[in-house]
Amino acid sequence: MIGPDIAGIAEKLGAAADSATAIPQLAAETGLDVDAAYAVQTALVQRRLDRGERLVGLKMGLTSKAKMAQVGVDEVIWGRLTDVMRVPDGGSVDVSDFIHPRVEPEVAFLLDRLPEPGEPVGAFTDAVRAVAPAIELIDSRYANFTFSLPDVIADNTSAAAFVIGPWSPVPDGLDNLGVLLEIDGRVAQVGSTAAILGDPRRALDEGIRLAGRHGVRLREGWVFLAGAATAAVPLRPGAHVRAVVEKLGTVSLKAAA
Ligand code: OOG
Ligand code: MG
């Protein structure tokens, strides 16, 4: 049997992102399962690397119940981050570069030396050099921000842009820090880092395990996004977005008017 056209699907998703134009879901029609969807994601990210982008990290998706419920998919997923997706803290994006962008508050880790495959994962403080509050801008390439599990994996887990706040040394506990997402000074979402797999440190174990299944190793110096603590909120032109994580501080993003 001939399998799904991995390169062709990656090209469609890449063109949708480049032109900020939504496309219909494609997993059901093309018979894409989870493994084939990660192969599409690899080809989709390779398309970015081929034009000079650099891989700078990994992101987790659907590590909180709030996110799973919002998109109706209940499996933890992972995607790749490139240098071009990074927006400086306090920087701005143009909403018209995206289809239907949403923002969500996250916790970021700066990775230190990670174990070789087969070696046990050591202490969290050995694997992570620093932590920071972060904002992820997600933008599903599918119409109505609606997708199945293989669809969202193929679409690099809706990754579009991200902002990292100031790095701090790893605090004693990360498992119950208050999280706020503010839009134009008003609280839009409230949560806790406990929403991220009970403790965002678990997201790193999951990331190492799940990406490892597809032959991807996390690297020293990479950024790791542990997943949103709350549901995502649409990003409107002119909006000022701020995420606050207790003990870690704030990070902000503007949308050009
Ligand atoms: C999928 C990506 C989810 C997160 O933090 O949970 C994600 C989506 O919601 O479109 O990035
Ligand atoms: Mg996210």
Side-chain angles (χ1 to χ4, degrees), residues 197-221:
L197 296 176
D199 183 333
R201 287 177 289 200
R202 267 191 210 125
L204 182 60
D205 296 332
E206 282 297 281
I208 292 170
R209 192 175 68 79
L210 293 173
R213 270 194 204 164
H214 296 273
V216 174
R217 273 189 63 203
L218 281 61
R219 303 274 166 197
E220 185 175 348

Side-chain angles (χ1 to χ4, degrees), residues 230-249:
T230 72
V233 172
L235 180 66
R236 312 269 180 227
H240 284 64
V241 182
R242 208 165 79 106
V244 185
V245 181
E246 189 187 344
K247 286 194 191 167
L248 304 187

Side-chain angles (χ1 to χ4, degrees), residues 59-63 67 71 77 104 106 136 138 145 147 152 157-158 227-228:
K59 60 157 283 189
M60 299 308 285
L62 312 183
T63 46
K67 285 287 310 181
V71 299
I77 55 179
E104 51 189 25
E106 303 226 2
E136 187 182 21
I138 51 171
F145 225 110
F147 41 72
V152 67
T157 66
S158 311

Side-chain angles (χ1 to χ4, degrees), residues 120-140:
V121 182
F124 181 79
T125 43
D126 292 340
V128 171
R129 219 177 274 166
V131 298
I135 296 169
E136 187 182 21
L137 186 160
I138 51 171
D139 190 35
S140 175

